[in-house]
PDB file of all heavy atoms in Angstrom:
ATOM      1  N   ARG A   1      79.656 101.874 105.365  1.00 96.00           N
ATOM      2  CA  ARG A   1      79.528 101.782 106.827  1.00 96.00           C
ATOM      3  C   ARG A   1      79.302 100.361 107.219  1.00 96.00           C
ATOM      4  O   ARG A   1      78.722  99.547 106.500  1.00 96.00           O
ATOM      5  CB  ARG A   1      78.292 102.620 107.254  1.00 96.00           C
ATOM      6  CG  ARG A   1      78.314 104.092 106.789  1.00 96.00           C
ATOM      7  CD  ARG A   1      77.124 104.844 107.289  1.00 96.00           C
ATOM      8  NE  ARG A   1      77.057 106.169 106.790  1.00 96.00           N
ATOM      9  CZ  ARG A   1      76.476 106.516 105.640  1.00 96.00           C
ATOM     10  NH1 ARG A   1      75.896 105.594 104.906  1.00 96.00           N
ATOM     11  NH2 ARG A   1      76.515 107.800 105.285  1.00 96.00           N
ATOM     12  N   PHE A   2      79.880  99.996 108.397  1.00 95.00           N
ATOM     13  CA  PHE A   2      79.637  98.751 109.005  1.00 95.00           C
ATOM     14  C   PHE A   2      79.053  99.007 110.385  1.00 95.00           C
ATOM     15  O   PHE A   2      79.726  99.395 111.373  1.00 95.00           O
ATOM     16  CB  PHE A   2      80.976  97.933 109.140  1.00 95.00           C
ATOM     17  CG  PHE A   2      81.598  97.642 107.859  1.00 95.00           C
ATOM     18  CD1 PHE A   2      82.610  98.396 107.358  1.00 95.00           C
ATOM     19  CD2 PHE A   2      81.176  96.583 107.048  1.00 95.00           C
ATOM     20  CE1 PHE A   2      83.225  98.142 106.122  1.00 95.00           C
ATOM     21  CE2 PHE A   2      81.750  96.242 105.882  1.00 95.00           C
ATOM     22  CZ  PHE A   2      82.798  97.024 105.389  1.00 95.00           C
ATOM     23  N   GLY A   3      77.742  98.910 110.483  1.00 91.00           N
ATOM     24  CA  GLY A   3      77.056  99.280 111.754  1.00 91.00           C
ATOM     25  C   GLY A   3      77.318 100.748 112.000  1.00 91.00           C
ATOM     26  O   GLY A   3      76.952 101.622 111.162  1.00 91.00           O
ATOM     27  N   GLY A   4      77.853 101.111 113.145  1.00 89.00           N
ATOM     28  CA  GLY A   4      78.074 102.521 113.481  1.00 89.00           C
ATOM     29  C   GLY A   4      79.423 103.014 113.000  1.00 89.00           C
ATOM     30  O   GLY A   4      79.745 104.153 113.262  1.00 89.00           O
ATOM     31  N   LEU A   5      80.269 102.143 112.368  1.00 93.00           N
ATOM     32  CA  LEU A   5      81.521 102.506 111.867  1.00 93.00           C
ATOM     33  C   LEU A   5      81.530 102.940 110.447  1.00 93.00           C
ATOM     34  O   LEU A   5      81.040 102.181 109.588  1.00 93.00           O
ATOM     35  CB  LEU A   5      82.535 101.403 112.106  1.00 93.00           C
ATOM     36  CG  LEU A   5      83.898 101.587 111.468  1.00 93.00           C
ATOM     37  CD1 LEU A   5      84.697 102.677 112.187  1.00 93.00           C
ATOM     38  CD2 LEU A   5      84.758 100.246 111.496  1.00 93.00           C
ATOM     39  N   THR A   6      82.047 104.124 110.116  1.00 95.00           N
ATOM     40  CA  THR A   6      82.116 104.581 108.760  1.00 95.00           C
ATOM     41  C   THR A   6      83.579 104.233 108.253  1.00 95.00           C
ATOM     42  O   THR A   6      84.560 104.909 108.677  1.00 95.00           O
ATOM     43  CB  THR A   6      81.886 106.106 108.640  1.00 95.00           C
ATOM     44  OG1 THR A   6      80.524 106.342 109.044  1.00 95.00           O
ATOM     45  CG2 THR A   6      82.058 106.535 107.169  1.00 95.00           C
ATOM     46  N   ALA A   7      83.709 103.190 107.452  1.00 96.00           N
ATOM     47  CA  ALA A   7      85.001 102.735 107.033  1.00 96.00           C
ATOM     48  C   ALA A   7      85.516 103.589 105.811  1.00 96.00           C
ATOM     49  O   ALA A   7      86.765 103.756 105.703  1.00 96.00           O
ATOM     50  CB  ALA A   7      84.930 101.264 106.578  1.00 96.00           C
ATOM     51  N   LEU A   8      84.626 104.150 105.004  1.00 97.00           N
ATOM     52  CA  LEU A   8      84.940 105.043 103.922  1.00 97.00           C
ATOM     53  C   LEU A   8      84.020 106.148 103.902  1.00 97.00           C
ATOM     54  O   LEU A   8      82.828 105.991 104.062  1.00 97.00           O
ATOM     55  CB  LEU A   8      84.928 104.246 102.627  1.00 97.00           C
ATOM     56  CG  LEU A   8      85.902 103.111 102.364  1.00 97.00           C
ATOM     57  CD1 LEU A   8      85.590 102.343 101.142  1.00 97.00           C
ATOM     58  CD2 LEU A   8      87.372 103.672 102.340  1.00 97.00           C
ATOM     59  N   GLN A   9      84.565 107.332 103.680  1.00 97.00           N
ATOM     60  CA  GLN A   9      83.665 108.574 103.664  1.00 97.00           C
ATOM     61  C   GLN A   9      83.978 109.426 102.429  1.00 97.00           C
ATOM     62  O   GLN A   9      84.962 110.030 102.293  1.00 97.00           O
ATOM     63  CB  GLN A   9      83.992 109.373 104.948  1.00 97.00           C
ATOM     64  CG  GLN A   9      83.106 110.661 105.011  1.00 97.00           C
ATOM     65  CD  GLN A   9      81.647 110.380 105.153  1.00 97.00           C
ATOM     66  OE1 GLN A   9      81.218 109.622 106.003  1.00 97.00           O
ATOM     67  NE2 GLN A   9      80.840 111.058 104.324  1.00 97.00           N
ATOM     68  N   ASN A  10      83.038 109.282 101.417  1.00 97.00           N
ATOM     69  CA  ASN A  10      83.033 110.147 100.297  1.00 97.00           C
ATOM     70  C   ASN A  10      84.403 110.183  99.524  1.00 97.00           C
ATOM     71  O   ASN A  10      84.949 111.179  99.271  1.00 97.00           O
ATOM     72  CB  ASN A  10      82.740 111.616 100.710  1.00 97.00           C
ATOM     73  CG  ASN A  10      82.391 112.491  99.495  1.00 97.00           C
ATOM     74  OD1 ASN A  10      81.778 112.028  98.541  1.00 97.00           O
ATOM     75  ND2 ASN A  10      82.733 113.765  99.586  1.00 97.00           N
ATOM     76  N   VAL A  11      84.850 108.931  99.228  1.00 97.00           N
ATOM     77  CA  VAL A  11      86.158 108.744  98.557  1.00 97.00           C
ATOM     78  C   VAL A  11      85.920 108.745  97.041  1.00 97.00           C
ATOM     79  O   VAL A  11      85.098 108.023  96.537  1.00 97.00           O
ATOM     80  CB  VAL A  11      86.849 107.420  99.008  1.00 97.00           C
ATOM     81  CG1 VAL A  11      88.123 107.254  98.185  1.00 97.00           C
ATOM     82  CG2 VAL A  11      87.100 107.500 100.504  1.00 97.00           C
ATOM     83  N   THR A  12      86.669 109.575  96.376  1.00 97.00           N
ATOM     84  CA  THR A  12      86.738 109.619  94.891  1.00 97.00           C
ATOM     85  C   THR A  12      88.067 109.289  94.411  1.00 97.00           C
ATOM     86  O   THR A  12      89.090 109.784  94.936  1.00 97.00           O
ATOM     87  CB  THR A  12      86.264 111.054  94.349  1.00 97.00           C
ATOM     88  OG1 THR A  12      84.946 111.217  94.741  1.00 97.00           O
ATOM     89  CG2 THR A  12      86.450 111.145  92.902  1.00 97.00           C
ATOM     90  N   PHE A  13      88.135 108.399  93.408  1.00 96.00           N
ATOM     91  CA  PHE A  13      89.400 107.922  92.920  1.00 96.00           C
ATOM     92  C   PHE A  13      89.271 107.401  91.478  1.00 96.00           C
ATOM     93  O   PHE A  13      88.250 106.843  91.138  1.00 96.00           O
ATOM     94  CB  PHE A  13      90.003 106.792  93.840  1.00 96.00           C
ATOM     95  CG  PHE A  13      91.261 106.216  93.397  1.00 96.00           C
ATOM     96  CD1 PHE A  13      92.491 106.826  93.755  1.00 96.00           C
ATOM     97  CD2 PHE A  13      91.347 105.019  92.608  1.00 96.00           C
ATOM     98  CE1 PHE A  13      93.664 106.256  93.344  1.00 96.00           C
ATOM     99  CE2 PHE A  13      92.530 104.544  92.199  1.00 96.00           C
ATOM    100  CZ  PHE A  13      93.664 105.150  92.607  1.00 96.00           C
ATOM    101  N   GLY A  14      90.315 107.531  90.675  1.00 94.00           N
ATOM    102  CA  GLY A  14      90.241 106.982  89.374  1.00 94.00           C
ATOM    103  C   GLY A  14      91.595 106.764  88.732  1.00 94.00           C
ATOM    104  O   GLY A  14      92.579 107.265  89.211  1.00 94.00           O
ATOM    105  N   VAL A  15      91.647 105.982  87.603  1.00 95.00           N
ATOM    106  CA  VAL A  15      92.944 105.822  86.949  1.00 95.00           C
ATOM    107  C   VAL A  15      92.593 105.548  85.415  1.00 95.00           C
ATOM    108  O   VAL A  15      91.618 104.926  85.136  1.00 95.00           O
ATOM    109  CB  VAL A  15      93.697 104.616  87.527  1.00 95.00           C
ATOM    110  CG1 VAL A  15      92.974 103.311  87.442  1.00 95.00           C
ATOM    111  CG2 VAL A  15      95.091 104.478  86.883  1.00 95.00           C
ATOM    112  N   ASP A  16      93.422 106.177  84.573  1.00 94.00           N
ATOM    113  CA  ASP A  16      93.234 105.917  83.183  1.00 94.00           C
ATOM    114  C   ASP A  16      94.406 105.113  82.583  1.00 94.00           C
ATOM    115  O   ASP A  16      94.218 104.367  81.625  1.00 94.00           O
ATOM    116  CB  ASP A  16      93.175 107.281  82.443  1.00 94.00           C
ATOM    117  CG  ASP A  16      91.873 108.012  82.685  1.00 94.00           C
ATOM    118  OD1 ASP A  16      90.853 107.303  82.759  1.00 94.00           O
ATOM    119  OD2 ASP A  16      91.900 109.245  82.867  1.00 94.00           O
ATOM    120  N   ALA A  17      95.573 105.264  83.139  1.00 94.00           N
ATOM    121  CA  ALA A  17      96.748 104.627  82.610  1.00 94.00           C
ATOM    122  C   ALA A  17      97.884 104.630  83.753  1.00 94.00           C
ATOM    123  O   ALA A  17      97.774 105.304  84.765  1.00 94.00           O
ATOM    124  CB  ALA A  17      97.346 105.250  81.361  1.00 94.00           C
ATOM    125  N   GLY A  18      98.940 103.756  83.474  1.00 95.00           N
ATOM    126  CA  GLY A  18     100.064 103.759  84.387  1.00 95.00           C
ATOM    127  C   GLY A  18      99.738 103.085  85.747  1.00 95.00           C
ATOM    128  O   GLY A  18      98.874 102.207  85.859  1.00 95.00           O
ATOM    129  N   ILE A  19     100.517 103.521  86.716  1.00 96.00           N
ATOM    130  CA  ILE A  19     100.413 102.870  88.107  1.00 96.00           C
ATOM    131  C   ILE A  19      99.967 103.935  89.158  1.00 96.00           C
ATOM    132  O   ILE A  19     100.583 104.890  89.285  1.00 96.00           O
ATOM    133  CB  ILE A  19     101.724 102.263  88.499  1.00 96.00           C
ATOM    134  CG1 ILE A  19     102.070 101.102  87.507  1.00 96.00           C
ATOM    135  CG2 ILE A  19     101.578 101.700  89.884  1.00 96.00           C
ATOM    136  CD1 ILE A  19     103.446 100.473  87.785  1.00 96.00           C
ATOM    137  N   ALA A  20      98.916 103.643  89.813  1.00 96.00           N
ATOM    138  CA  ALA A  20      98.390 104.545  90.870  1.00 96.00           C
ATOM    139  C   ALA A  20      98.447 103.733  92.187  1.00 96.00           C
ATOM    140  O   ALA A  20      98.038 102.538  92.186  1.00 96.00           O
ATOM    141  CB  ALA A  20      96.982 105.006  90.622  1.00 96.00           C
ATOM    142  N   SER A  21      98.882 104.371  93.182  1.00 95.00           N
ATOM    143  CA  SER A  21      99.007 103.629  94.531  1.00 95.00           C
ATOM    144  C   SER A  21      98.043 104.298  95.543  1.00 95.00           C
ATOM    145  O   SER A  21      97.825 105.517  95.508  1.00 95.00           O
ATOM    146  CB  SER A  21     100.423 103.716  95.072  1.00 95.00           C
ATOM    147  OG  SER A  21     101.250 102.960  94.324  1.00 95.00           O
ATOM    148  N   ILE A  22      97.448 103.462  96.387  1.00 95.00           N
ATOM    149  CA  ILE A  22      96.651 103.894  97.500  1.00 95.00           C
ATOM    150  C   ILE A  22      97.387 103.581  98.759  1.00 95.00           C
ATOM    151  O   ILE A  22      97.694 102.388  98.992  1.00 95.00           O
ATOM    152  CB  ILE A  22      95.277 103.230  97.470  1.00 95.00           C
ATOM    153  CG1 ILE A  22      94.547 103.626  96.196  1.00 95.00           C
ATOM    154  CG2 ILE A  22      94.469 103.707  98.687  1.00 95.00           C
ATOM    155  CD1 ILE A  22      93.251 102.931  95.948  1.00 95.00           C
ATOM    156  N   ILE A  23      97.715 104.544  99.550  1.00 93.00           N
ATOM    157  CA  ILE A  23      98.500 104.248 100.778  1.00 93.00           C
ATOM    158  C   ILE A  23      97.689 104.842 101.976  1.00 93.00           C
ATOM    159  O   ILE A  23      96.740 105.556 101.804  1.00 93.00           O
ATOM    160  CB  ILE A  23      99.914 104.847 100.728  1.00 93.00           C
ATOM    161  CG1 ILE A  23      99.873 106.427 100.669  1.00 93.00           C
ATOM    162  CG2 ILE A  23     100.627 104.302  99.518  1.00 93.00           C
ATOM    163  CD1 ILE A  23     101.242 107.033 100.781  1.00 93.00           C
ATOM    164  N   GLY A  24      98.207 104.577 103.183  1.00 91.00           N
ATOM    165  CA  GLY A  24      97.630 105.056 104.398  1.00 91.00           C
ATOM    166  C   GLY A  24      97.979 104.184 105.597  1.00 91.00           C
ATOM    167  O   GLY A  24      98.355 103.015 105.412  1.00 91.00           O
ATOM    168  N   PRO A  25      97.787 104.619 106.741  1.00 88.00           N
ATOM    169  CA  PRO A  25      98.081 103.878 107.971  1.00 88.00           C
ATOM    170  C   PRO A  25      97.172 102.639 108.003  1.00 88.00           C
ATOM    171  O   PRO A  25      96.180 102.538 107.326  1.00 88.00           O
ATOM    172  CB  PRO A  25      97.835 104.837 109.101  1.00 88.00           C
ATOM    173  CG  PRO A  25      97.756 106.190 108.480  1.00 88.00           C
ATOM    174  CD  PRO A  25      97.299 106.001 107.080  1.00 88.00           C
ATOM    175  N   ASN A  26      97.543 101.684 108.905  1.00 87.00           N
ATOM    176  CA  ASN A  26      96.695 100.536 109.091  1.00 87.00           C
ATOM    177  C   ASN A  26      95.332 101.020 109.584  1.00 87.00           C
ATOM    178  O   ASN A  26      95.125 101.922 110.344  1.00 87.00           O
ATOM    179  CB  ASN A  26      97.290  99.595 110.217  1.00 87.00           C
ATOM    180  CG  ASN A  26      98.536  98.926 109.707  1.00 87.00           C
ATOM    181  OD1 ASN A  26      98.702  98.669 108.554  1.00 87.00           O
ATOM    182  ND2 ASN A  26      99.369  98.560 110.665  1.00 87.00           N
ATOM    183  N   GLY A  27      94.259 100.379 108.944  1.00 88.00           N
ATOM    184  CA  GLY A  27      92.910 100.769 109.319  1.00 88.00           C
ATOM    185  C   GLY A  27      92.364 101.956 108.557  1.00 88.00           C
ATOM    186  O   GLY A  27      91.239 102.432 108.895  1.00 88.00           O
ATOM    187  N   ALA A  28      93.144 102.424 107.609  1.00 92.00           N
ATOM    188  CA  ALA A  28      92.707 103.636 106.901  1.00 92.00           C
ATOM    189  C   ALA A  28      91.541 103.404 105.936  1.00 92.00           C
ATOM    190  O   ALA A  28      90.848 104.328 105.521  1.00 92.00           O
ATOM    191  CB  ALA A  28      93.882 104.223 106.143  1.00 92.00           C
ATOM    192  N   GLY A  29      91.264 102.142 105.581  1.00 94.00           N
ATOM    193  CA  GLY A  29      90.176 101.783 104.662  1.00 94.00           C
ATOM    194  C   GLY A  29      90.613 101.368 103.293  1.00 94.00           C
ATOM    195  O   GLY A  29      89.768 101.214 102.358  1.00 94.00           O
ATOM    196  N   LYS A  30      91.912 101.055 103.111  1.00 94.00           N
ATOM    197  CA  LYS A  30      92.442 100.743 101.769  1.00 94.00           C
ATOM    198  C   LYS A  30      91.811  99.440 101.196  1.00 94.00           C
ATOM    199  O   LYS A  30      91.325  99.424 100.076  1.00 94.00           O
ATOM    200  CB  LYS A  30      93.980 100.629 101.797  1.00 94.00           C
ATOM    201  CG  LYS A  30      94.681 101.849 102.366  1.00 94.00           C
ATOM    202  CD  LYS A  30      96.163 101.713 102.373  1.00 94.00           C
ATOM    203  CE  LYS A  30      96.620 100.626 103.299  1.00 94.00           C
ATOM    204  NZ  LYS A  30      96.357 100.884 104.702  1.00 94.00           N
ATOM    205  N   THR A  31      91.893  98.379 101.975  1.00 93.00           N
ATOM    206  CA  THR A  31      91.310  97.106 101.512  1.00 93.00           C
ATOM    207  C   THR A  31      89.789  97.167 101.376  1.00 93.00           C
ATOM    208  O   THR A  31      89.279  96.576 100.476  1.00 93.00           O
ATOM    209  CB  THR A  31      91.793  95.934 102.437  1.00 93.00           C
ATOM    210  OG1 THR A  31      93.198  95.827 102.381  1.00 93.00           O
ATOM    211  CG2 THR A  31      91.182  94.626 102.024  1.00 93.00           C
ATOM    212  N   THR A  32      89.151  97.881 102.193  1.00 95.00           N
ATOM    213  CA  THR A  32      87.709  98.111 102.093  1.00 95.00           C
ATOM    214  C   THR A  32      87.412  98.715 100.753  1.00 95.00           C
ATOM    215  O   THR A  32      86.450  98.330 100.050  1.00 95.00           O
ATOM    216  CB  THR A  32      87.225  98.916 103.255  1.00 95.00           C
ATOM    217  OG1 THR A  32      87.426  98.274 104.517  1.00 95.00           O
ATOM    218  CG2 THR A  32      85.663  99.177 103.076  1.00 95.00           C
ATOM    219  N   LEU A  33      88.222  99.753 100.390  1.00 96.00           N
ATOM    220  CA  LEU A  33      87.991 100.357  99.111  1.00 96.00           C
ATOM    221  C   LEU A  33      88.200  99.394  97.936  1.00 96.00           C
ATOM    222  O   LEU A  33      87.396  99.361  97.049  1.00 96.00           O
ATOM    223  CB  LEU A  33      88.954 101.575  98.965  1.00 96.00           C
ATOM    224  CG  LEU A  33      88.737 102.500  97.759  1.00 96.00           C
ATOM    225  CD1 LEU A  33      87.352 103.145  97.802  1.00 96.00           C
ATOM    226  CD2 LEU A  33      89.834 103.581  97.717  1.00 96.00           C
ATOM    227  N   PHE A  34      89.233  98.597  97.992  1.00 95.00           N
ATOM    228  CA  PHE A  34      89.457  97.527  96.986  1.00 95.00           C
ATOM    229  C   PHE A  34      88.222  96.625  96.940  1.00 95.00           C
ATOM    230  O   PHE A  34      87.801  96.179  95.836  1.00 95.00           O
ATOM    231  CB  PHE A  34      90.704  96.768  97.311  1.00 95.00           C
ATOM    232  CG  PHE A  34      91.892  97.161  96.481  1.00 95.00           C
ATOM    233  CD1 PHE A  34      92.040  98.447  96.006  1.00 95.00           C
ATOM    234  CD2 PHE A  34      92.909  96.260  96.151  1.00 95.00           C
ATOM    235  CE1 PHE A  34      93.153  98.816  95.233  1.00 95.00           C
ATOM    236  CE2 PHE A  34      93.976  96.573  95.389  1.00 95.00           C
ATOM    237  CZ  PHE A  34      94.120  97.804  94.937  1.00 95.00           C
ATOM    238  N   ASN A  35      87.672  96.261  98.071  1.00 95.00           N
ATOM    239  CA  ASN A  35      86.579  95.340  98.108  1.00 95.00           C
ATOM    240  C   ASN A  35      85.346  95.949  97.446  1.00 95.00           C
ATOM    241  O   ASN A  35      84.534  95.265  96.847  1.00 95.00           O
ATOM    242  CB  ASN A  35      86.235  94.983  99.581  1.00 95.00           C
ATOM    243  CG  ASN A  35      87.248  93.995 100.099  1.00 95.00           C
ATOM    244  OD1 ASN A  35      88.013  93.393  99.424  1.00 95.00           O
ATOM    245  ND2 ASN A  35      87.302  93.927 101.446  1.00 95.00           N
ATOM    246  N   VAL A  36      85.155  97.289  97.594  1.00 97.00           N
ATOM    247  CA  VAL A  36      84.058  97.998  96.853  1.00 97.00           C
ATOM    248  C   VAL A  36      84.390  97.963  95.381  1.00 97.00           C
ATOM    249  O   VAL A  36      83.483  97.711  94.573  1.00 97.00           O
ATOM    250  CB  VAL A  36      83.941  99.454  97.397  1.00 97.00           C
ATOM    251  CG1 VAL A  36      83.024 100.221  96.524  1.00 97.00           C
ATOM    252  CG2 VAL A  36      83.445  99.411  98.847  1.00 97.00           C
ATOM    253  N   PHE A  37      85.656  98.262  94.994  1.00 97.00           N
ATOM    254  CA  PHE A  37      85.974  98.293  93.590  1.00 97.00           C
ATOM    255  C   PHE A  37      85.680  96.997  92.890  1.00 97.00           C
ATOM    256  O   PHE A  37      85.198  96.967  91.730  1.00 97.00           O
ATOM    257  CB  PHE A  37      87.489  98.540  93.411  1.00 97.00           C
ATOM    258  CG  PHE A  37      87.891  99.997  93.759  1.00 97.00           C
ATOM    259  CD1 PHE A  37      89.270 100.301  93.824  1.00 97.00           C
ATOM    260  CD2 PHE A  37      87.002 100.959  94.004  1.00 97.00           C
ATOM    261  CE1 PHE A  37      89.636 101.589  94.107  1.00 97.00           C
ATOM    262  CE2 PHE A  37      87.386 102.257  94.264  1.00 97.00           C
ATOM    263  CZ  PHE A  37      88.728 102.579  94.334  1.00 97.00           C
ATOM    264  N   THR A  38      85.851  95.874  93.595  1.00 95.00           N
ATOM    265  CA  THR A  38      85.819  94.577  92.961  1.00 95.00           C
ATOM    266  C   THR A  38      84.548  93.778  93.306  1.00 95.00           C
ATOM    267  O   THR A  38      84.435  92.527  92.996  1.00 95.00           O
ATOM    268  CB  THR A  38      87.022  93.702  93.318  1.00 95.00           C
ATOM    269  OG1 THR A  38      87.146  93.619  94.747  1.00 95.00           O
ATOM    270  CG2 THR A  38      88.313  94.296  92.752  1.00 95.00           C
ATOM    271  N   GLY A  39      83.543  94.402  93.913  1.00 95.00           N
ATOM    272  CA  GLY A  39      82.222  93.812  94.099  1.00 95.00           C
ATOM    273  C   GLY A  39      82.139  92.938  95.324  1.00 95.00           C
ATOM    274  O   GLY A  39      81.016  92.351  95.518  1.00 95.00           O
ATOM    275  N   LEU A  40      83.058  92.868  96.183  1.00 95.00           N
ATOM    276  CA  LEU A  40      82.953  92.100  97.429  1.00 95.00           C
ATOM    277  C   LEU A  40      82.097  92.911  98.433  1.00 95.00           C
ATOM    278  O   LEU A  40      81.387  92.213  99.225  1.00 95.00           O
ATOM    279  CB  LEU A  40      84.275  91.833  98.012  1.00 95.00           C
ATOM    280  CG  LEU A  40      85.200  90.798  97.335  1.00 95.00           C
ATOM    281  CD1 LEU A  40      86.567  90.755  97.941  1.00 95.00           C
ATOM    282  CD2 LEU A  40      84.531  89.420  97.286  1.00 95.00           C
ATOM    283  N   TYR A  41      82.104  94.222  98.391  1.00 96.00           N
ATOM    284  CA  TYR A  41      81.252  95.063  99.174  1.00 96.00           C
ATOM    285  C   TYR A  41      80.436  95.939  98.272  1.00 96.00           C
ATOM    286  O   TYR A  41      80.942  96.411  97.242  1.00 96.00           O
ATOM    287  CB  TYR A  41      82.030  95.933 100.169  1.00 96.00           C
ATOM    288  CG  TYR A  41      82.822  95.265 101.234  1.00 96.00           C
ATOM    289  CD1 TYR A  41      83.892  95.906 101.869  1.00 96.00           C
ATOM    290  CD2 TYR A  41      82.478  93.924 101.686  1.00 96.00           C
ATOM    291  CE1 TYR A  41      84.596  95.289 102.873  1.00 96.00           C
ATOM    292  CE2 TYR A  41      83.245  93.376 102.674  1.00 96.00           C
ATOM    293  CZ  TYR A  41      84.251  94.018 103.284  1.00 96.00           C
ATOM    294  OH  TYR A  41      84.989  93.442 104.282  1.00 96.00           O
ATOM    295  N   VAL A  42      79.155  96.175  98.621  1.00 96.00           N
ATOM    296  CA  VAL A  42      78.374  97.208  97.929  1.00 96.00           C
ATOM    297  C   VAL A  42      78.371  98.502  98.795  1.00 96.00           C
ATOM    298  O   VAL A  42      78.100  98.480  99.960  1.00 96.00           O
ATOM    299  CB  VAL A  42      76.900  96.723  97.801  1.00 96.00           C
ATOM    300  CG1 VAL A  42      76.038  97.756  97.201  1.00 96.00           C
ATOM    301  CG2 VAL A  42      76.842  95.413  97.004  1.00 96.00           C
ATOM    302  N   PRO A  43      78.784  99.611  98.156  1.00 97.00           N
ATOM    303  CA  PRO A  43      78.903 100.836  98.924  1.00 97.00           C
ATOM    304  C   PRO A  43      77.510 101.361  99.379  1.00 97.00           C
ATOM    305  O   PRO A  43      76.526 101.071  98.672  1.00 97.00           O
ATOM    306  CB  PRO A  43      79.544 101.775  97.959  1.00 97.00           C
ATOM    307  CG  PRO A  43      79.131 101.335  96.602  1.00 97.00           C
ATOM    308  CD  PRO A  43      79.120  99.780  96.710  1.00 97.00           C
ATOM    309  N   ASP A  44      77.480 102.010 100.562  1.00 97.00           N
ATOM    310  CA  ASP A  44      76.196 102.629 100.974  1.00 97.00           C
ATOM    311  C   ASP A  44      75.912 103.851 100.144  1.00 97.00           C
ATOM    312  O   ASP A  44      74.732 104.205  99.927  1.00 97.00           O
ATOM    313  CB  ASP A  44      76.313 103.027 102.423  1.00 97.00           C
ATOM    314  CG  ASP A  44      76.473 101.754 103.327  1.00 97.00           C
ATOM    315  OD1 ASP A  44      75.495 100.978 103.421  1.00 97.00           O
ATOM    316  OD2 ASP A  44      77.558 101.573 103.909  1.00 97.00           O
ATOM    317  N   GLU A  45      76.925 104.508  99.587  1.00 97.00           N
ATOM    318  CA  GLU A  45      76.730 105.645  98.740  1.00 97.00           C
ATOM    319  C   GLU A  45      77.868 105.655  97.709  1.00 97.00           C
ATOM    320  O   GLU A  45      78.980 105.097  97.957  1.00 97.00           O
ATOM    321  CB  GLU A  45      76.812 107.017  99.529  1.00 97.00           C
ATOM    322  CG  GLU A  45      75.753 107.141 100.607  1.00 97.00           C
ATOM    323  CD  GLU A  45      75.999 108.325 101.518  1.00 97.00           C
ATOM    324  OE1 GLU A  45      76.775 109.250 101.097  1.00 97.00           O
ATOM    325  OE2 GLU A  45      75.454 108.368 102.600  1.00 97.00           O
ATOM    326  N   GLY A  46      77.617 106.267  96.566  1.00 97.00           N
ATOM    327  CA  GLY A  46      78.705 106.455  95.572  1.00 97.00           C
ATOM    328  C   GLY A  46      78.480 105.470  94.393  1.00 97.00           C
ATOM    329  O   GLY A  46      77.595 104.562  94.337  1.00 97.00           O
ATOM    330  N   GLU A  47      79.404 105.615  93.396  1.00 96.00           N
ATOM    331  CA  GLU A  47      79.307 104.826  92.196  1.00 96.00           C
ATOM    332  C   GLU A  47      80.763 104.441  91.728  1.00 96.00           C
ATOM    333  O   GLU A  47      81.658 105.149  92.003  1.00 96.00           O
ATOM    334  CB  GLU A  47      78.576 105.548  91.098  1.00 96.00           C
ATOM    335  CG  GLU A  47      79.091 106.952  90.846  1.00 96.00           C
ATOM    336  CD  GLU A  47      78.233 107.767  89.871  1.00 96.00           C
ATOM    337  OE1 GLU A  47      77.502 107.068  89.122  1.00 96.00           O
ATOM    338  OE2 GLU A  47      78.226 108.959  89.920  1.00 96.00           O
ATOM    339  N   VAL A  48      80.792 103.299  91.040  1.00 97.00           N
ATOM    340  CA  VAL A  48      82.057 102.791  90.524  1.00 97.00           C
ATOM    341  C   VAL A  48      81.784 102.401  89.010  1.00 97.00           C
ATOM    342  O   VAL A  48      80.744 101.824  88.742  1.00 97.00           O
ATOM    343  CB  VAL A  48      82.591 101.591  91.247  1.00 97.00           C
ATOM    344  CG1 VAL A  48      83.911 101.072  90.686  1.00 97.00           C
ATOM    345  CG2 VAL A  48      82.665 101.866  92.704  1.00 97.00           C
TER     346      VAL A  48
END
């Protein structure tokens, strides 16, 4: 969440091998999710 905006809501995702893509319209939360994955953002809930 960013203030009153929920940018990601209960997202679960994983990869073991190969190529996995994350798609969605502009503003869907894709880059925010990447930022959580790589430590730029700390999630309010959930684990990586």
Side-chain angles (χ1 to χ4, degrees):
R1 304 180 185 91
F2 298 97
L5 172 67
T6 300
L8 296 169
Q9 179 64 50
N10 195 31
V11 176
T12 294
F13 179 84
V15 62
D16 289 322
I19 299 177
S21 292
I22 300 173
I23 66 173
N26 290 333
K30 302 182 296 297
T31 296
T32 299
L33 188 60
F34 258 31
N35 288 342
V36 170
F37 289 170
T38 55
L40 290 174
Y41 294 159
V42 176
D44 295 294
E45 300 171 19
E47 52 188 335
V48 183

